[in-house]
Amino acid sequence: MKSIPMTTGVPWHVSAFRVETGESGEAELVGRIRELRARILFDRGRRPDFQTPDGGYADDQDLDFGAWHFVGRREAGGPPLGYVRLSTPETGGLFQTRAHLGAERYEDVLREHGLGVAETFEHSRLVVEHQARKLGLGIYLNAFAMGAARFLGAKAMIGTSGTADGQDRFHERFGFRPVPGTRRYVGHYTEDVVIMLYRPGFSAGEFTGLVEQLEEAFPSSVVPAQHAGLGVASQVGHTPQDQLRLPSTPLMAAAESSHGHAGASWQPVLFTLDREQDRIGLQSLIDSGQVREVMDTITDQLTELVTSREPRLCSSPDAAERAVAEQLAGTSPQEYGTWVWYPWSGRLVHLLPREEFRLVRTDRNRGRIDRAQQRRLLGRRVGVIGLSVGSSAALTFAMEGIGGSFKLADFDSLSVSNLNRLRAGVHHLGLNKCVLAARQMLEIDPWLDIELYQGGLTDATMEEFFTGGAGPIDLLVEECDTPYVKIAAREHARALGIPVVMDANDRGLLDVERFDLEPDRPLLHGLLGETTSSDLRDLTHEEMVDVILTMVDRERISPELTASVSQIGITLSSWPQLASGVALGGALTADAARRILLGQPRPSGRFYTDLEILTAGDRSTVA
């Protein structure tokens, strides 16, 4: 049995064992495993089906026999703090996903992904004590099961994920993707459940390095089932926190390796203190010493809330104070709303509950975007390809409330030469541009639903970007530099009826293609004729420059850009771009996207907001 160091340098101790048969000794062990799982799943009454009439706990599944079981502890011999199960194809007839979908639909799903039942493993029953959950054991166990599946030769991993607490989003961080059409309510879990699929040959998302590390560690962590040591299962969770000796180190979700930003975190952790497990988790976080700064302006936020609902209260501080007291309804200000932990900055921020926060945050939109329109926009999903120029669009969309869900794609990392136009600091150098944008967007609204494609948009991910993951996109912002991807993305968008907007960062060029209204519209307004994406593979540098100039209409580009083209690769390292142009592009694409998503007039075409012309002396409106 081996203790594997976490990325933070503090070990979790994981033992792996397989239960082969239902003989008496192993049946007793499985009984203890089931009790451990059921008690955590019961969650103080949230899932009552896991408690027996006599007050015990039960989670009986035949799938336990023949499966691999992984038990996590703080140290060898300590109480179990978490568990996950990995089932092999030998017991595929009992898989939870097969039961959820039905045998025929299950096999259809695998075939649709080019997979067979004999090469598909299932991971399930990831459960972690609340004290250890916020400190990274869930991440570690999930990565361990994935590493074991790789070692055992899995071509695919499949499983069911709950959605109420974001378990599906948790698995997406590991490279799992939801299977469209599989989400439905399951009474046993009291929440919607969706099927998630992962191919071990692909990236494991934020935790690729950890999964690879644990794949190598798996063989040395295997122990005989009789040595699993689960005799204390019934005591787990009732041990005082100071006896658990939980690691007082950064959350695994926040851990960044010594090699720059590998596995960099970008998702905040949210705590709502009317839930006991969140209260425990927040206290554990505070006790860990990871919080560098606490921002608590909840009283001011409550005042903003009541005055945004009743503007007349602005002139009456006493009335506003009474309205705040009514809003609290006896709840202490400290326990009201949501505490948001940003692992990458070490900040803990106290905010209003989601709907109230969004009402106040977008209050100044009113008069331009009314409440009903704001709700419509928040229900939309936007895809952004290219997070250099596209980062300005993504951030403007987040600020203005254009979209509640986003898919961001870019393979590139921030370099020094990007700092002339990207909103970033020197401490972000080497960070993937998707991660950078997602962090900034989630610091504006921590409830945004964001999916990242850190390998960029490729043939392997194109379909998933447009239609998979959490759902299809409603609008595409295309800002990448690769001609093949620019055209391939438009081919997909046209086939799916998805509108595309683009800013070219020269003369304020805004490009709009309403494929939602014009399904036969030529790509890029026909500027490339009958050229398809397949014609644009493997271009030379000169060919690529020529294609891009054709796309932006070489006769209309600015004199400065015209003069620069011939110098690229000679006296200039790349295309010249300015922060002012990028900021303008964010405004132009946001305005166009808002109108399109609200059904307002915004026709296809190419439009220029050329500030040199628009602000020329003869355009002044005053003498």
Side-chain angles (χ1 to χ4, degrees), residues 156-447:
M157 291 180 71
I158 199 166
T160 57
S161 283
T163 59
D165 291 334
Q167 189 184 39
D168 52 335
R169 296 192 297 276
F170 169 86
H171 283 116
E172 285 179 15
R173 296 172 63 192
F174 289 85
F176 282 84
R177 290 294 176 259
V179 177
T182 63
R183 178 168 174 162
R184 65 179 175 84
Y185 182 78
V186 177
H188 195 50
Y189 303 111
T190 67
E191 62 183 315
D192 280 359
V193 169
V194 66
I195 302 297
M196 308 288 288
L197 185 67
Y198 167 71
R199 292 172 177 265
F202 286 71
S203 164
E206 298 176 37
F207 304 104
T208 299
L210 181 62
V211 171
E212 291 173 350
Q213 174 192 1
L214 295 179
E215 178 182 359
E216 296 178 5
F218 167 65
S220 60
S221 301
V222 177
V223 298
Q226 61 267 31
H227 295 161
L230 286 176
V232 295
S234 61
Q235 301 172 5
V236 180
H238 303 288
T239 308
Q241 183 179 329
D242 59 351
Q243 294 181 21
L244 290 178
R245 288 187 287 167
L246 296 172
S248 57
T249 56
L251 295 171
M252 281 195 61
E256 296 181 354
S257 77
S258 58
H259 303 289
H261 296 280
S265 64
W266 54 273
Q267 291 179 307
V269 181
L270 278 61
F271 302 89
T272 304
L273 298 192
D274 59 2
R275 298 182 56 190
E276 187 175 355
Q277 59 267 35
D278 281 12
R279 184 189 299 272
I280 294 171
L282 180 58
Q283 188 59 57
S284 297
L285 172 65
I286 293 171
D287 292 343
S288 74
Q290 302 166 73
V291 178
R292 300 174 188 169
E293 186 176 10
V294 177
M295 310 294 293
D296 188 356
T297 61
I298 195 66
T299 302
D300 293 339
Q301 294 175 48
L302 283 162
T303 300
E304 280 196 278
L305 173 65
V306 298
T307 54
S308 64
R309 286 173 172 166
E310 295 286 342
R312 60 181 178 78
L313 296 177
C314 294
S315 59
S316 177
D318 291 342
E321 187 175 341
R322 288 193 297 271
V324 166
E326 291 176 8
Q327 181 69 31
L328 288 169
T331 302
S332 72
Q334 185 181 29
E335 297 190 352
Y336 189 85
T338 301
W339 287 87
V340 183
W341 162 240
Y342 291 102
W344 53 90
S345 67
R347 293 190 178 95
L348 181 64
V349 186
H350 193 184
L351 297 176
L352 294 168
R354 181 181 67 178
E355 300 308 319
E356 295 172 6
F357 171 82
R358 285 177 165 171
L359 183 147
V360 175
R361 198 189 73 77
T362 59
D363 185 58
R364 295 289 291 273
N365 285 357
R366 289 193 299 160
R368 303 295 298 271
I369 310 171
D370 65 34
R371 293 285 188 216
Q373 290 174 324
Q374 290 176 22
R375 288 191 293 272
R376 286 175 61 189
L377 290 171
L378 278 172
R380 300 294 190 152
R381 180 173 284 105
V382 175
V384 184
I385 307 172
L387 271 300
S388 184
V389 174
S391 67
S392 178
L395 288 174
T396 305
F397 281 38
M399 284 187 282
E400 200 160 299
I402 303 170
S405 302
F406 294 86
K407 296 183 180 183
L408 311 180
D410 199 318
F411 65 87
D412 200 13
S413 298
L414 186 75
S415 62
V416 174
S417 63
N418 295 141
L419 294 176
N420 79 318
R421 61 194 186 281
L422 266 72
R423 179 176 170 260
V426 292
H427 58 293
H428 293 124
L429 292 172
L431 187 64
N432 179 273
K433 292 176 182 177
C434 288
V435 174
L436 175 61
R439 286 181 177 183
Q440 294 173 343
M441 294 166 74
L442 289 161
E443 287 173 347
I444 295 167
D445 182 346
W447 289 277

